Amino acid sequence: MSIKIQFKLNGEEKNFYVKPNMTLLELIREKAHLTGTKHGCGNGECGACTIIMNGEPVRSCLILAVEADGKEIITIEGISPQNLTELQKAFIDEGAIQCGFCTPGFIMAGEALFKKTQKPSDDEIKESLSGHLCRCTGYEPIFNAFKKVAKK
Amino acid sequence: MKKNLNVVGESVLRNDVVEKVLGTAKYIDDYKFDGMLYGFTVRSTISHGKIISINISKAKKINGVVNIFTAKDIPGKNFFPMILNDYPFLAENKVLFYGQPIALVVATNQEIAKEAAKNVFIEYEELEPVLDIHYAMKKNSPKIFGSDNILRKYIIKKGNIDQGFKEADVIVEDVFETNYQVHSYLEPNGMIAVPQPDGGITVYGTMQCPFYVHDAIANILNIYHNKIRVVQTTTGGGFGGKEDVPSLVAGHVALLAYLTKKPVKLVYTREEDFHGMSKRHPGYIEIKYGAKKNGKIVAAKVRYILDGGAFATLSPIVLWRGTVHAVGPYDIPNVLIESFAVATNKVPCGAFRGFGQPQATFANESLIDILAEKLKISPLKLRQINMLKPYSRTATNDKISNSCGFKKVLSEVIKKSKYEKILSKKNENLSTIKTGAGLAIAFYGVGLGAGGKYIDRAGAYLQIQKDGTVIISIGNTELGQGVFTVISQIASEILGAPYEFVKVLQPDTTRVPDSGPTVASRSTLMSGNAVLDAAKQVRERIDTMVLKLFNKSKGKVYSNGKEYFISTNPEKKIHYLEVIKKCFVQRINLSATGWYTGEDVSFDSETGQGKAYYSYTFSATVAIVKVNILTGVVEVKKIVSGHDIGKAINPKLCEAQIEGGVIQSLGYALTENLVLKNGIILNPSFAGYLIPTSMDIPEIIPVIVESKYSKGPFGAKGLGESPMITPSTAIANAIYNATGFRTKKLPVTPEILLELKNKK
Ligand code: FES
Ligand code: FES
């Protein structure tokens, strides 16, 4: 059984036929062929699959594809297709990227945060990073990248 | 003329991050090939037993299942080449650990493959599992490896141990234990194999060691090396976890592609990765020091046992490194070390950043504090009295060269952390929060050492293109540590080409000769030197052209990073691009291959004496903690971690290595607690196995000391592993200083701390 869903993906209206048990992560990666969103655990534990749904950062591995129906979804590919965003630039400048597998998830969390508040406090930044795992960097440079944008 | 460096030593930005920050970098699971099938592994659900039958009939009927293969379908040899060659690709008639691969399903999508794997029914005759190293070493235990369950043992004998202890005024001894550690790289293991028209196979995947994978595929398929191509894809972290077992994954996927004649993808779920992939060995260490009243340690005895799990894989050399470093970074005249890697019916253990040293360091750096207390000498002073310095001798009687900045590392770390002040500060009796400081120091033999000297080599290929851009191939892999950036800096410096012009290509076994594994903090040194060799050859030809353009027949040519000039006329400069253009029309060869082999090393298996490594790095870490003695919760406030690495080619990347390593070590000390019951991992997820999050992060102050190694590129030694070795023990020592509770076990969870408190 397949269900037809329709939603806005990175600014474009899209239709998909999906199985009821398909996750949004699977839909994004396998059907929409957008592989910037990463599969790190599939259980909501790492944050690598974070996307923005109706303005909120969510873990796409925990959401069923059918739940996306009628929503507005942004993935890393839709953040700023032409130029790097301030946050992306700050990630590079601050050395916040090593293996990079966690990076899209952190960027999405950050973009959602900065859409809501231009000058988030340290605690708000920490809150938005928490629950995102990075095994390489030790988090400090990621935090610094957020801070850099918050200061601007 | 001031001969300074243009780009080496500068914190230039990494050259592989734009694609990562955009999400366009392709990791293995991001690739697709036409007609691609999906594999899934059927694994043992018991820890030890005989396989009576494998029933695939129900699974095979599932719509979308293409086929199911077992050991008997393997055309070549059923083991992947790794030291003792004992780990089968697929179990034949017995299984030795929960999670051991038995069969492979191949289907039209991953979901179906996974479902089918659940419907492969295996009948076992269960056998008593050997779960404990001490039991494994007993005469009456079941034998799962050889006649004694010993995968490997070593002995190191220096001086006269009995005499040494006789001379000692004070003797301390204790037993320390450490748990597993899971790499927890964010990208799970995975590979894709694509059959080639000539009957060969190309394998893409996440890995540290393409040449190991190359050998593994040749083995399982029984085809020649020149029909196999292995390409490393952008890799989401390794930390040692992608050293040995990717050979297994690659063998599996190559087999599926070979037998189905279709591209096949095999990517692990996180749970599978937890169950199946190698871990840091649990360690058991009995250690004893004897010292004179003045603090001089005169004897050290260690019995070091690693729980190797069901197959040897890398245990022999993990154990070797741990053994060589087991008495700590001290000059001790009388030493006896006996070490064992023991087989048990649990997940095989392999490489993890630090490679057998963090376990041993926990023992020797805890005991040295215990000794200091007994001698009433400060822990710092005791270390200063005994630590290695130029010309002193290690346990293997290896002479330390003058590339030894140990003293400076220690003094900087002590100064920056205010260690002595915090150490001697008394905590308020009534307060439930106690503050403390702890110190740990270590040395680290760079590279594979005498344990792996025959594969300690590296190749490189370098070519300047028509437009002046440069491409480089190396055999070491980028795992996130930044080696491509470092290599680009080295090439740029030697060639006089702008750094932005240099690109390191994806490692591919068809591009460079077998360069050994990407482990042991060896990439900067080995690949760095190979690239240096290639770049120097090309630079010589460029220099000849520059001199010609200056109408000179000889002289020294300099570069400022984009232009060349000569000393007699430094005002006049010729741009790099102009010279390259001239070289092209003059048909000068602007490509070269480079090669480097490590200095000779040795190890006598009878006595354990010899030049174990060609160079050592030195480190010291101070941790400042706050402990809540009601809850047992430890908060690490600050870590100062210093490392003598010879030369920082890119200081910012070096600091990043230190920060990342420190945090892994913090997790090792406090939260990362893998729980096994009957050999089965009970918490195979990030919800159950807790790696540090952004909430656990202390202030970290990295310290870099540069005591150059004459054979290193620009004096560099290596860094990757050193930051993982000392912080955990510094934290344990800090907890003791804060509370008086001495942990003999890592991780020291709140439960363990409260237990220690109750015992007191
Ligand atoms: S993949 Fe969704 S949280 Fe890890
Ligand atoms: S950069 Fe590797 S997990 Fe974050």
Side-chain angles (χ1 to χ4, degrees):
Chain A
M1 191 189 67
S2 282
I3 303 162
K4 186 179 172 196
I5 58 170
Q6 186 175 13
F7 61 92
K8 216 180 200 175
L9 179 58
N10 296 333
E12 269 179 56
E13 281 298 335
K14 297 265 182 188
N15 292 308
F16 292 101
Y17 287 89
V18 299
K19 289 214 185 116
N21 65 349
M22 177 180 252
T23 65
L24 182 54
L25 174 60
E26 229 180 313
L27 170 80
I28 291 169
R29 290 183 52 85
E30 302 299 325
K31 291 208 150 201
H33 306 296
L34 297 172
T35 54
T37 308
K38 301 298 174 205
H39 185 297
C41 70
N43 281 321
E45 295 156 3
C46 75
C49 65
T50 302
I51 53 132
I52 299 175
M53 185 158 94
N54 287 0
E56 291 295 324
V58 294
R59 295 175 179 214
S60 60
C61 71
L62 289 182
I63 293 177
L64 290 175
V66 289
E67 292 176 67
D69 193 34
K71 304 268 166 58
E72 192 177 340
I73 283 172
I74 304 170
T75 68
I76 184 85
E77 290 87 350
I79 278 293
S80 174
Q82 302 304 328
N83 300 304
L84 295 179
T85 64
E86 289 300 319
L87 185 62
Q88 285 172 321
K89 275 189 222 146
F91 260 63
I92 294 176
D93 293 342
E94 292 300 313
I97 309 159
Q98 289 191 27
C99 82
F101 201 78
C102 67
T103 309
F106 277 104
I107 295 282
M108 296 313 282
E111 297 298 348
L113 175 70
F114 288 114
K115 277 236 166 75
K116 272 192 239 163
T117 58
Q118 286 202 338
K119 292 202 183 311
S121 65
D122 283 9
D123 283 340
E124 283 172 303
I125 294 175
K126 280 192 188 143
E127 168 77 29
S128 110
L129 299 183
S130 75
H132 283 260
L133 298 180
C134 172
R135 190 56 154 171
C136 303
T137 64
Y139 302 101
E140 175 89 4
I142 298 176
F143 180 77
N144 291 343
F146 274 62
K147 283 275 286 193
K148 191 169 181 185
V149 178
K151 264 201 217 132
K152 280 204 174 147
Chain B
M1 174 127 322
K2 201 169 137 236
K3 200 178 142 260
N4 50 5
L5 299 170
N6 294 314
V7 60
V8 160
E10 296 299 314
S11 291
V12 294
L13 294 179
R14 298 177 63 120
N15 52 12
D16 63 338
V17 282
V18 173
E19 54 271 42
K20 286 176 176 174
V21 85
L22 284 171
T24 51
K26 284 198 161 213
Y27 300 80
I28 189 60
D29 201 18
D30 305 336
Y31 285 90
K32 274 205 177 103
F33 289 84
D34 280 345
M36 191 169 81
L37 301 174
Y38 294 78
F40 206 87
T41 314
V42 180
R43 296 171 184 278
S44 169
T45 53
I46 63 168
S47 294
H48 189 198
K50 287 187 186 144
I51 297 174
I52 304 297
S53 66
I54 303 174
N55 185 343
I56 60 170
S57 57
K58 179 157 179 227
K60 238 181 155 171
K61 281 190 204 115
I62 294 173
N63 213 349
V65 171
V66 175
N67 216 331
I68 297 165
F69 299 109
T70 59
K72 64 179 190 327
D73 300 302
I74 293 174
K77 297 190 195 99
N78 188 14
F79 67 85
F80 68 88
M82 193 61 67
I83 310 179
L84 302 184
N85 298 333
D86 62 333
Y87 197 156
F89 284 110
L90 294 169
E92 273 175 41
N93 36 40
K94 57 178 182 189
V95 287
L96 295 184
F97 76 98
Y98 178 97
Q100 185 179 343
I102 298 175
L104 296 164
V105 178
V106 58
T108 50
N109 72 43
Q110 197 189 9
E111 211 184 316
I112 296 171
K114 192 174 170 182
E115 187 54 34
K118 280 191 210 142
N119 284 287
V120 172
F121 299 106
I122 295 159
E123 196 192 330
Y124 304 99
E125 179 194 325
E126 285 207 49
L127 298 170
E128 181 200 345
V130 184
L131 301 173
D132 174 74
I133 44 168
H134 306 291
Y135 179 53
M137 289 171 88
K138 288 229 164 81
K139 276 217 160 60
N140 58 350
S141 62
K143 295 295 173 278
I144 58 170
F145 183 90
S147 59
D148 54 7
N149 287 334
I150 308 255
L151 297 164
R152 182 60 65 92
K153 60 182 172 190
Y154 295 106
I155 189 158
I156 291 181
K157 280 190 276 190
K158 179 187 174 193
N160 182 332
I161 192 71
D162 295 332
Q163 189 59 32
F165 278 113
K166 236 178 252 161
E167 282 169 20
D169 299 317
V170 170
I171 291 173
V172 287
E173 60 185 313
D174 229 312
V175 180
F176 296 87
E177 283 176 272
T178 59
N179 198 356
Y180 289 93
Q181 190 177 19
V182 183
H183 305 84
S184 310
Y185 32 68
L186 261 257
E187 182 206 24
N189 270 284
M191 300 270 174
I192 296 175
V194 184
Q196 300 299 312
D198 66 351
I201 202 121
T202 299
V203 170
Y204 303 86
T206 182
M207 65 183 89
Q208 290 180 221
C209 309
F211 302 100
Y212 285 179
V213 167
H214 198 193
D215 294 343
I217 296 165
N219 239 37
I220 193 168
L221 299 184
N222 192 25
I223 60 176
Y224 288 118
H225 273 71
N226 67 1
K227 290 210 165 176
I228 304 163
R229 180 175 163 220
V230 180
V231 182
Q232 183 222 9
T233 49
T234 305
T235 292
F239 318 115
K242 291 173 183 170
E243 177 174 356
D244 53 358
V245 249
S247 292
L248 188 81
V249 187
H252 289 167
V253 79
L255 179 72
L256 294 178
Y258 187 79
L259 295 175
T260 59
K261 303 201 167 28
K262 289 272 171 53
V264 179
K265 181 190 268 190
L266 182 64
V267 174
Y268 282 5
T269 64
R270 181 58 61 181
E271 193 184 343
E272 269 190 296
D273 205 294
F274 261 93
H275 283 300
M277 305 315 273
S278 60
K279 310 278 176 277
R280 185 189 303 288
H281 298 73
Y284 169 91
I285 309 104
E286 295 169 5
I287 179 166
K288 181 172 168 184
Y289 282 143
K292 297 295 238 186
K293 271 199 209 92
N294 64 9
K296 175 75 194 135
I297 301 175
V298 287
K301 189 174 168 184
V302 180
R303 188 162 178 269
Y304 182 25
I305 308 176
L306 290 178
D307 186 340
F311 298 104
T313 78
L314 291 159
S315 286
I317 50 168
V318 174
L319 181 72
W320 186 74
R321 174 177 282 283
T323 306
V324 166
H325 295 85
V327 295
Y330 303 112
D331 187 342
I332 305 172
N334 304 295
V335 172
L336 176 65
I337 305 167
E338 287 176 289
S339 66
F340 307 86
V342 175
T344 56
N345 288 112
K346 292 181 289 187
V347 61
C349 290
F352 193 146
R353 198 176 197 174
F355 216 74
Q357 282 194 241
Q359 299 94 321
T361 297
F362 174 52
N364 62 56
E365 285 302 283
S366 295
L367 193 70
I368 200 103
D369 267 23
I370 294 172
L371 177 62
E373 194 173 330
K374 204 156 177 192
L375 286 167
K376 299 198 173 56
I377 297 179
S378 86
L380 172 62
K381 186 85 206 289
L382 184 59
R383 285 177 174 85
Q384 284 166 333
I385 292 169
N386 293 287
M387 66 200 258
L388 296 166
K389 48 185 175 299
Y391 311 112
S392 57
R393 300 274 179 169
T394 69
T396 73
N397 214 20
D398 192 358
K399 192 162 81 195
I400 297 295
S401 76
N402 50 24
S403 167
C404 173
F406 212 179
K407 209 171 145 190
K408 187 159 175 214
V409 168
L410 184 59
S411 67
E412 296 242 325
V413 165
I414 295 299
K415 201 168 69 202
K416 291 209 161 102
S417 63
K418 305 203 175 68
Y419 169 73
E420 286 170 294
K421 201 172 139 209
I422 301 168
L423 187 82
S424 54
K425 212 176 110 198
K426 290 264 174 309
N427 276 293
E428 293 270 339
N429 258 345
L430 293 175
S431 159
T432 56
I433 308 286
K434 311 280 188 196
T435 303
L439 168 66
I441 66 174
F443 72 135
Y444 175 90
V446 179
L448 303 174
K453 74 175 188 177
Y454 297 107
I455 54 171
D456 211 8
R457 64 203 159 200
Y461 173 71
L462 179 149
Q463 186 194 133
I464 301 182
Q465 317 251 310
K466 248 184 230 155
D467 61 358
T469 58
V470 182
I471 50 169
I472 297 172
S473 291
I474 55 170
N476 286 127
T477 48
E478 174 66 64
L479 309 165
Q481 81 279 45
V483 66
F484 283 7
T485 302
V486 164
I487 291 295
S488 302
Q489 286 178 265
I490 291 173
S492 160
E493 188 68 53
I494 300 288
L495 292 172
Y499 163 73
E500 301 74 33
F501 282 25
V502 185
K503 182 180 167 60
V504 179
L505 305 174
Q506 248 174 340
D508 178 330
T509 53
T510 59
R511 286 191 178 136
V512 282
D514 187 337
S515 300
T518 299
V519 301
S521 309
R522 71 190 282 274
S523 300
T524 298
L525 176 66
M526 300 302 294
S527 281
N529 270 333
V531 167
L532 201 92
D533 178 26
K536 274 187 175 160
Q537 297 168 46
V538 174
R539 175 66 191 264
E540 242 170 64
R541 296 171 210 152
I542 291 175
D543 283 355
T544 310
M545 179 58 66
V546 173
L547 289 171
K548 222 188 222 172
L549 295 172
F550 276 111
N551 288 320
K552 295 263 186 245
S553 59
K554 59 179 195 283
K556 182 143 177 58
V557 178
Y558 297 88
S559 162
N560 61 12
K562 54 179 196 286
E563 296 153 322
Y564 299 104
F565 55 96
I566 53 174
S567 56
T568 50
N569 186 7
E571 295 312 307
K572 188 169 182 271
K573 298 187 170 72
I574 309 179
H575 199 274
Y576 164 78
L577 287 177
E578 204 185 317
V579 180
I580 297 306
K581 219 185 250 161
K582 278 273 167 1
C583 287
F584 257 89
V585 294
Q586 305 264 334
R587 296 176 294 180
I588 306 294
N589 176 10
L590 291 182
S591 70
T593 59
W595 188 248
Y596 183 72
T597 54
E599 282 184 85
D600 211 15
V601 279
S602 64
F603 185 79
D604 182 296
S605 59
E606 300 284 302
T607 61
Q609 301 293 283
K611 185 167 182 54
Y613 292 94
Y614 34 71
S615 183
Y616 295 91
T617 65
F618 302 89
S619 68
T621 298
V622 166
I624 316 285
V625 303
K626 273 192 169 22
V627 186
N628 181 326
I629 54 164
L630 288 185
T631 60
V633 171
V634 177
E635 192 192 342
V636 182
K637 300 300 291 180
K638 185 179 190 167
I639 290 195
V640 184
S641 192
H643 303 264
D644 164 24
I645 58 172
K647 167 81 186 167
I649 306 280
N650 184 319
K652 195 161 175 180
L653 285 183
C654 292
E655 289 175 8
Q657 279 303 296
I658 295 173
E659 287 163 3
V662 161
I663 295 308
Q664 286 182 354
S665 195
L666 182 148
Y668 187 53
L670 298 175
T671 59
E672 297 185 30
N673 196 23
L674 199 69
V675 183
L676 274 77
K677 197 175 171 201
N678 297 328
I680 303 168
I681 296 169
L682 299 183
N683 51 345
S685 73
F686 291 141
Y689 179 83
L690 305 176
I691 66 171
T693 74
S694 58
M695 297 309 209
D696 307 317
I697 302 310
E699 180 193 356
I700 301 175
I701 302 177
V703 175
I704 294 166
V705 168
E706 297 181 323
S707 177
K708 289 184 181 166
Y709 167 43
S710 60
K711 301 278 168 39
F714 300 94
K717 296 191 270 196
L719 173 62
E721 305 194 83
S722 180
M724 176 72 226
I725 297 171
T726 46
S728 44
T729 308
I731 290 170
N733 284 340
I735 293 171
Y736 176 75
N737 176 240
T739 64
F741 312 148
R742 164 71 59 195
T743 181
K744 312 277 170 70
K745 273 192 185 145
L746 285 187
V748 48
T749 58
E751 296 75 41
I752 292 186
L753 259 189
L754 294 179
E755 223 175 85
L756 287 170
K757 180 184 155 195
N758 292 337
K759 266 192 213 147
K760 237 194 148 187

